[in-house]
Amino acid sequence: MKTELLREYARLAVVTGVNLQKGQKLVIRAGVDAAPFVRLLTDEAYAVGARDVIVHWSDEKITRARYLYADDDLFDSAFPWQAMMFDLLSGEGAAFLSVSSSDPAAFEGVDPDRIRRFSVAYGKANEKFYARLMASRIPWSIVAIPNEAWAKKVFPGKPTDEAVELLWNAIFDTVRIREGGDAVAEWTAHSDRLMRQARKLNDCNFRYLRYENALGTRLTVELPEGYLFAGGSEKDERGIDFIANMPTEEIFTAPKRDGVNGVVYSSKPLVLNGNLVEGISLTLTDGRITDVHADRGEEYLKAEIDVDEGAHYLGEVALVPYHSPISESGILFYDTLFDENASCHFAFGEAYPTCIKGGADLSKDELLARGINAESNTHVDFMVGTSDLSIVGVTRDGREVPVFVNGDFAI
Ligand code: ZN
Ligand code: ZN
């Protein structure tokens, strides 16, 4: 991998991703195998005037061993010292950058109930921290780098080195990094495009979106009054732009919590907590998921929906054209950061407060009263877009407007 491209990727994550400001602290969360890239991120952070760079390391193999062998009662509590660290640093306004690099089969064979209980405990312990992230009070971003297991899943049959190289190239394409290019400038233009598309959807003032495709999806999604589609960059509490996911191709909002009805089928596999889930169908009645099916990994999907009551409701509606760059690459990444940006998707679990006018300043109760799913310890995206997806918008005065025709924007 060429060093200049890696440096540019690190610069992009620091300058455009979290948009680190002079005197601000940066927290990097990364796996130990990502150390060489984390060192580059650290250099870039100090180059723009970071006050301090704090790295929180993890390791999936150690986490797996813990899930398999630790005492059972351990999974009802989460690391309080870590929660204190994230709470203190996020309270000080630090920026949080995650370097994702997961083995899609990391937790195969782990008891789904241990994962569920730990997820509940972790969410509760980190409630204040997550609330700051979800409401965009502090800048945060996620970028990804390859690992061998992941690369071999994406490019089966290739020798390991070649698979890793191919995955690097695929990731660089998705984040607009190429030799002789200017990724930071390209991202500004890209973000503006997404924001323009979001504004168009906001101006329509839809009451419902009606989804239909040949997979069998027939879903009516009500939108709350004052819904806001967002896309591209967002602003933190101080008004500084940041980009939460790199890549990003979506515009998204929150559905009305009790206003989703019908059946929805997934169109891509989902890697959920280190396990593959395929062939999902969900039935929703007055917003609540009343039936869950998956051809593979159903027990992991059900465990995640059982995390809490809020996980039984949708928290995100996201639109991504079938003919958009990551989708057109034809690569199935087995990683939601990429696959959700190749496909229309929904998330079950907590909604982003910023998806409703004035939402960042509302309490959870006020958000619930405004109709969005404000209370859950999880948020899981799953992909539903297809080349024949039709979405019809119904305005508050009853007009029908084609939003998606044959998988692409018609608006
Ligand atoms: Zn999304
Ligand atoms: Zn999401």
Side-chain angles (χ1 to χ4, degrees), residues 187-324:
W187 269 86
T188 306
H190 174 53
S191 176
D192 287 347
R193 268 195 304 274
L194 290 171
M195 284 194 276
R196 271 199 303 277
Q197 190 69 50
R199 269 198 297 274
K200 274 193 216 166
L201 274 282
N202 293 337
D203 290 344
C204 290
N205 196 18
F206 287 126
R207 172 109 195 240
Y208 299 105
L209 297 177
R210 279 204 311 255
Y211 286 65
E212 199 173 319
N213 68 11
L215 281 179
T217 294
R218 301 277 182 280
L219 196 73
T220 302
V221 178
E222 188 172 352
L223 299 178
E225 262 183 79
Y227 72 81
L228 287 177
F229 271 95
S233 70
E234 44 196 311
K235 289 192 189 302
D236 73 4
E237 201 166 40
R238 300 186 296 167
I240 310 280
D241 290 320
F242 69 97
I243 294 187
N245 285 194
M246 303 189 97
T248 184
E249 299 288 336
E250 64 177 323
I251 64 164
F252 64 98
T253 189
K256 189 157 182 287
R257 186 178 193 265
D258 59 2
V260 184
N261 283 284
V263 186
V264 61
Y265 287 82
S266 69
S267 57
K268 286 179 192 289
L270 166 68
V271 173
L272 174 62
N273 298 327
N275 280 279
L276 193 59
V277 181
E278 283 180 300
I280 301 171
S281 63
L282 301 178
T283 305
L284 293 104
T285 310
D286 295 333
R288 197 171 194 278
I289 298 171
T290 49
D291 191 58
V292 180
H293 170 82
D295 296 335
R296 176 180 171 158
E298 187 177 278
E299 65 277 29
Y300 291 98
L301 180 61
K302 283 186 165 163
E304 196 63 26
I305 292 172
D306 281 339
V307 157
D308 50 33
E309 180 57 17
H312 290 74
Y313 292 82
L314 298 189
E316 180 184 333
V317 183
L319 304 177
V320 181
Y322 190 77
H323 290 95
S324 57

Side-chain angles (χ1 to χ4, degrees), residues 245 250 316 340 345-347 352 379-381:
N245 285 194
E250 64 177 323
E316 180 184 333
E340 69 159 315
H345 56 275
F346 295 109
Y352 293 98
H379 174 105
V380 176
D381 293 65

Side-chain angles (χ1 to χ4, degrees), residues 332-346:
L332 181 59
F333 281 86
Y334 293 98
D335 187 300
T336 298
L337 179 63
F338 298 89
D339 293 331
E340 69 159 315
N341 284 303
S343 173
C344 282
H345 56 275
F346 295 109

Side-chain angles (χ1 to χ4, degrees), residues 203-208 393-401:
D203 290 344
C204 290
N205 196 18
F206 287 126
R207 172 109 195 240
Y208 299 105
V394 182
T395 62
R396 282 180 196 272
D397 52 15
R399 276 179 308 117
E400 299 203 351
V401 181

